[in-house]
Amino acid sequence: MERIEVGTVGDLDEKSVLRLSLPDGRAVTVAVLADGEYAAFEGLCPHKGAPITEGRICEDVVICPWHAFRFDLRSGEPVGTPSIMKLSVLPVTVESDRIFVTITK
């Protein structure tokens, strides 16, 4: 596992997100949750491979821009629709206002 610095606390608020590419090419989005915690998720929807990083975030849920599938940003679990698909979420830590995402290689 590798921890990557993706930004600072001042880089985003509850109305913005950080979209970035990891060194291995994966797209990742970092968002602020309703309680002020941070969440990170990989860029492809597990349903049809849509660019979920372009989806709308409402409270602690991301909504896929293609088919409106909803995923909880804390767990990656689907919301409102029974499914075995799960969004890939990544651990986030904050140290001295610096935001880090932990990835597996």
Side-chain angles (χ1 to χ4, degrees):
M1 294 201 295
E2 178 182 2
R3 249 176 34 133
I4 297 175
E5 184 174 352
V6 297
T8 65
V9 171
D11 291 338
L12 56 131
D13 59 30
E14 63 278 349
K15 295 180 182 175
S16 63
V17 297
L18 290 175
R19 292 185 178 97
L20 54 128
S21 290
L22 297 178
D24 63 6
R26 287 183 286 176
V28 170
T29 297
V30 180
V32 180
L33 301 176
D35 64 1
E37 294 292 315
Y38 295 87
F41 57 97
E42 289 194 34
L44 298 178
C45 178
H47 173 232
K48 292 282 186 181
I52 199 161
T53 59
E54 296 173 10
R56 190 166 45 99
I57 296 174
C58 187
E59 297 289 323
D60 294 353
V61 173
V62 63
I63 304 166
C64 178
W66 284 6
H67 300 107
F69 269 65
R70 298 168 183 260
F71 296 93
D72 182 283
L73 289 176
R74 293 182 190 277
S75 66
E77 295 290 335
V79 175
T81 304
S83 175
I84 59 169
M85 296 177 288
K86 188 173 177 181
L87 182 66
S88 180
V89 294
L90 304 167
V92 178
T93 53
V94 178
E95 294 177 10
S96 302
D97 288 340
R98 296 166 46 204
I99 302 169
F100 295 89
V101 173
T102 301
I103 62 168
T104 57
K105 293 185 177 188

